Amino acid sequence: MEKETAKETVSKNFIEQIIEKDLAEGKYDEICTRFPPEPNGYLHIGHAKSILLNYGLAQKYHGKFNMRFDDTNPTKEKVEFVESIKKDIQWLGADWEDRLYFASNYFEQMYEAAVKLIKKGKAFVCDLTAEEIREYRGTLTEPGKESPYRNRSIEENLELFEKMKNGEFEDGSKVLRAKIDMASPNINMRDPVIYRVAHMTHHNTGDKWCIYPMYDFAHPIEDAIEGVTHSICTLEFEDHRPLYDWVVQELEYVHPPKQIEFAKLYLTNVVTGKRYIKKLVEDGIVDGWDDPRLVSIAALRRRGFTPESIQKFVELCGVSKANSSVDYAMLEYCIREDLKMKAPRMMAVLDPVKLVIDNYPEGEIEYLEVPNNMENPDLGTRQVPFGRELYIEREDFMEVPIKKYKRLYPENEVRLMNAYFVTCTGCEKDEEGNVTVIHCTYDPASKGGNSPDGRKVKGTIHWVCAETAVEAECRLYENIVDEEKGVYNKEDGSLNLNPNSLTVVKGCLVEPELGKAEAYDRFQFVRNGFFCADCHDSKPGAPVFNRIVSLKSSFKLK
Ligand code: ATP
Ligand code: MG
């Protein structure tokens, strides 16, 4: 582990190399990065990578980090997502300070930029329909055909573009196109559309505009206006870079930003596409965008992941130019590592069966001092009640033990964690043969779970005191998709859902301290995993816990 970190700090990723070269050459005095989400959904783990990458670079090189909503495309659902996105980014630990921007505030500058291109003879108003534009565009092997409107005069273009702005044309009847090269091998350079007519109300600018800029035109302008130096995006924009460069060059920005692409983060066996998540929400398969089985940032937070664990995960993933998938188990590894020392280790019985200590004084409750985390004394100790009647896990008792079984069975002695040695004396059963009560005796000299005379016990089991136990609900998760079949159904593209992705366990019994859990409180339940109090459903006295992750895994860091 330490070796891994040491290696990471010496070898720089390719974006850091570019930045260092630019700074060394004096290209920029200070770098500026940005995160530019479209407010059309919740952020997910892939976005976390982009956020932490951009923010981390600004921190590392003492530059600036801008938070910019890329809201140039007016659709209905936008406003509600702005707040959730801000909340998620803050939670992740990326601080934009006072540098919060909205691309829609630049519509005026974008309009002027378009006018500038027209005046330079670099843009024209085109009357072809969307379908005709597509036909004229050509293919990867054939060049495109020039629009018959391409050679309109500058004056005519200026006049028509102004009329477009003034609402004199219907949606789709006219567009403004950059005049570049219909024979370019890069289709993005074949006179791309840069403005379209759309009579739509925008969440920020209302009805002020009825023309809206296209992404490839708007984005470089947004970056340039804000003084962004390194505009980092994902690989699918690589072929758009010549257009990005064309825009900033033709608009003659003194310090043009540069676009750098990196590979998207993909995780195995999870659903990240907004379209699919939306469907899961709408079909009621999950209980909202923050259902703990999803990997939206809101869902990860609700499940119990910490910002530190996600930061660590992103760091381990690294930055690359080649697309690949990361094993979900690596994310689990990161949260385990983070909580190992931070989370108190408590006792919670998920499938309780009663254990009676027949030689323990009736009606007596004693309090045992228990360390909150054996490996981290800083977390202190707590008082755990103990009495004659306890609950243990049903699977910790076998009337007829299988081979190598080390837990409770008649005549066997085990340690009750942090408490005493007990020896099983038998059990009671109901008519169907289910064990209802287990009986045992204890050795008062083994208090604290320590052997009084050097004799050894092989098993240690956890327990809760019956009289003071609090009833809890625990939610256990598996992947939402079927690992064996793969995420998407090859035939119709639907999701291969795992019917066991959620198990709700009611009637769990937990120690009283856990009854006070507040939303997002995280614990290790010994032997059962790491759990987090659910932010919607958990109430003091009636706690609900989400299992973040189990304790063990076969995952190893390479
Ligand atoms: P999705 O395809 O999941 O809807 P998006 O790319 O449409 O995502 P945007 O809001 O446009 O979402 O993206 C904001 C930023 O996040 C962009 O710079 C984008 O490149 C980056 N991003 C999106 N998905 C990933 C990912 N899986 N890994 C890394 N960065 C990503
Ligand atoms: Mg997008």
Side-chain angles (χ1 to χ4, degrees):
M1 208 37 233
E2 262 165 48
K3 250 196 214 143
E4 191 78 20
T5 324
K7 199 177 77 210
E8 273 160 21
T9 43
V10 257
S11 70
K12 302 203 160 64
N13 69 47
F14 76 98
I15 301 179
E16 292 168 335
Q17 288 170 12
I18 294 172
I19 291 176
E20 290 188 13
K21 185 159 173 283
D22 288 344
L23 287 173
E25 288 171 358
K27 229 181 212 166
Y28 309 104
D29 296 334
E30 184 184 48
I31 69 154
C32 180
T33 60
R34 89 283 173 263
F35 177 66
E38 234 187 297
N40 64 354
Y42 281 79
L43 298 181
H44 56 61
I45 184 82
H47 295 115
K49 174 164 184 172
S50 175
I51 293 161
L52 294 170
L53 173 65
N54 279 291
Y55 176 67
L57 289 168
Q59 290 287 102
K60 181 165 179 180
Y61 296 103
H62 309 289
K64 295 195 169 94
F65 168 71
N66 291 2
M67 169 67 217
R68 180 209 311 149
F69 283 99
D70 203 348
D71 57 351
T72 54
N73 182 12
T75 52
K76 274 183 216 137
E77 61 227 52
K78 299 210 158 176
V79 127
E80 63 164 300
F81 293 117
V82 170
E83 291 312 311
S84 82
I85 290 176
K86 287 205 280 197
K87 180 175 167 187
D88 289 348
I89 298 175
Q90 269 162 341
W91 178 78
L92 274 176
D95 182 5
W96 60 80
E97 293 163 16
D98 57 355
R99 309 182 64 81
L100 172 66
Y101 303 105
F102 289 84
S104 55
N105 287 339
Y106 311 143
F107 281 156
E108 193 66 48
Q109 283 123 300
M110 291 174 190
Y111 176 76
E112 280 158 20
V115 169
K116 178 170 179 154
L117 289 184
I118 297 174
K119 286 184 176 162
K120 288 177 78 174
K122 300 283 182 170
F124 65 99
V125 173
C126 183
D127 300 1
L128 294 180
T129 62
E131 195 170 323
E132 285 165 336
I133 290 179
R134 232 184 341 267
E135 279 165 20
Y136 276 60
R137 194 180 288 138
T139 62
L140 283 173
T141 48
E142 283 166 66
K145 229 170 38 181
E146 291 187 354
S147 160
Y149 305 99
R150 199 175 198 260
N151 296 314
R152 277 178 163 151
S153 69
I154 290 175
E155 290 67 37
E156 192 186 358
N157 281 319
L158 284 172
E159 199 187 306
L160 288 171
F161 188 50
E162 188 166 342
K163 284 186 174 164
M164 277 170 66
K165 182 183 87 155
N166 292 341
E168 294 183 30
F169 301 118
E170 274 171 35
D171 288 8
S173 60
K174 280 189 173 45
V175 291
L176 184 72
R177 298 175 67 177
K179 196 191 275 189
I180 310 180
D181 178 9
M182 287 310 289
S184 171
N186 184 336
I187 293 181
N188 296 304
M189 299 297 271
R190 294 183 188 167
D191 294 1
V193 173
I194 59 176
Y195 256 98
R196 65 195 168 111
V197 178
H199 292 267
M200 282 173 112
T201 304
H202 186 280
H203 75 95
N204 179 26
T205 55
D207 293 323
K208 175 150 190 250
W209 296 92
C210 62
I211 52 170
Y212 291 96
M214 304 303 286
Y215 178 90
D216 281 339
F217 178 65
H219 207 85
I221 297 177
E222 294 159 26
D223 287 339
I225 290 172
E226 291 174 13
V228 167
T229 55
H230 298 83
S231 177
I232 299 166
C233 63
T234 41
L235 278 186
E236 70 272 25
F237 291 101
E238 197 164 23
D239 290 344
H240 298 240
R241 186 173 359 116
L243 181 52
Y244 186 102
D245 290 341
W246 185 90
V247 171
V248 294
Q249 194 193 327
E250 291 299 339
L251 293 173
E252 299 163 45
Y253 291 109
V254 188
H255 299 289
K258 70 158 82 167
Q259 177 182 302
I260 304 171
E261 311 86 17
F262 72 101
K264 270 195 174 180
L265 169 64
Y266 293 103
L267 271 180
T268 54
N269 295 315
V270 301
V271 183
T272 50
K274 276 175 205 163
R275 193 161 62 89
Y276 285 100
I277 294 180
K278 198 161 173 240
K279 188 149 189 342
L280 289 173
V281 175
E282 281 167 1
D283 294 353
I285 290 164
V286 296
D287 85 344
W289 284 86
D290 64 352
D291 184 291
R293 289 166 290 177
L294 300 174
V295 289
S296 64
I297 295 177
L300 291 167
R301 177 171 58 231
R302 180 171 171 198
R303 175 104 171 230
F305 282 84
T306 57
E308 293 81 3
S309 65
I310 296 174
Q311 288 158 8
K312 182 73 196 170
F313 174 70
V314 164
E315 191 186 307
L316 287 175
C317 289
V319 184
S320 136
K321 269 269 184 198
N323 277 321
S324 65
S325 276
V326 177
D327 196 335
Y328 183 79
M330 190 157 104
L331 184 59
E332 297 188 317
Y333 164 86
C334 292
I335 186 65
R336 269 192 211 102
E337 283 295 302
D338 188 41
L339 291 182
K340 201 165 67 181
M341 306 296 270
K342 280 188 195 167
R345 301 179 184 180
M346 318 290 277
M347 293 193 283
V349 177
L350 304 196
D351 183 15
V353 62
K354 192 171 261 186
L355 177 73
V356 178
I357 307 171
D358 292 304
N359 62 339
Y360 192 88
E362 233 164 297
E364 192 174 309
I365 297 285
E366 68 175 308
Y367 284 83
L368 302 168
E369 184 169 8
V370 170
N372 284 325
N373 186 323
M374 267 94 71
E375 290 178 62
N376 180 5
D378 288 350
L379 292 189
T381 61
R382 69 183 186 284
Q383 301 291 322
V384 181
F386 183 88
R388 188 172 194 266
E389 297 200 349
L390 309 172
Y391 284 98
I392 62 169
E393 300 283 357
R394 191 166 281 280
E395 62 164 35
D396 285 345
F397 172 77
M398 286 189 104
E399 195 182 7
V400 182
I402 49 165
K403 245 188 168 171
K404 294 199 181 154
Y405 191 76
K406 298 191 186 85
R407 292 169 268 169
L408 264 192
Y409 55 87
E411 270 147 68
N412 191 39
E413 186 173 45
V414 299
R415 175 188 292 106
L416 290 178
M417 193 176 281
N418 302 311
Y420 292 98
F421 283 12
V422 291
T423 304
C424 180
T425 53
C427 67
E428 295 171 33
K429 288 191 274 191
D430 65 14
E431 280 153 22
E432 276 118 56
N434 301 309
V435 175
T436 51
V437 182
I438 303 159
H439 289 274
C440 66
T441 56
Y442 85 124
D443 177 356
S446 62
K447 186 164 177 176
N450 303 309
S451 177
D453 53 9
R455 76 176 188 273
K456 293 209 162 59
V457 291
K458 289 211 176 100
T460 298
I461 65 177
H462 63 277
W463 50 273
V464 293
C465 172
E467 194 170 316
T468 56
V470 174
E471 204 171 309
E473 175 178 319
C474 290
R475 297 171 181 171
L476 311 182
Y477 304 104
E478 284 179 19
N479 283 335
I480 193 154
V481 291
D482 189 319
E483 260 186 81
E484 304 289 308
K485 292 189 193 151
V487 179
Y488 304 109
N489 185 323
K490 284 196 184 75
E491 264 134 52
D492 59 4
S494 63
L495 294 169
N496 286 319
L497 292 172
N498 170 7
N500 304 318
S501 61
L502 169 66
T503 306
V504 177
V505 188
K506 292 188 194 268
C508 303
L509 293 169
V510 302
E511 55 173 287
E513 199 57 29
L514 286 171
K516 300 179 208 154
E518 303 206 11
Y520 301 112
D521 282 350
R522 301 177 187 90
F523 307 92
Q524 181 182 133
F525 289 178
V526 291
R527 298 171 66 219
N528 280 319
F530 290 102
F531 287 75
C532 176
D534 188 75
C535 60
H536 297 317
D537 304 327
S538 193
K539 301 277 171 314
V544 175
F545 296 102
N546 300 324
R547 179 149 75 185
I548 312 168
V549 68
S550 61
L551 293 178
K552 289 208 181 68
S553 142
S554 53
F555 179 79
K556 293 237 162 49
L557 255 200
K558 281 190 202 92

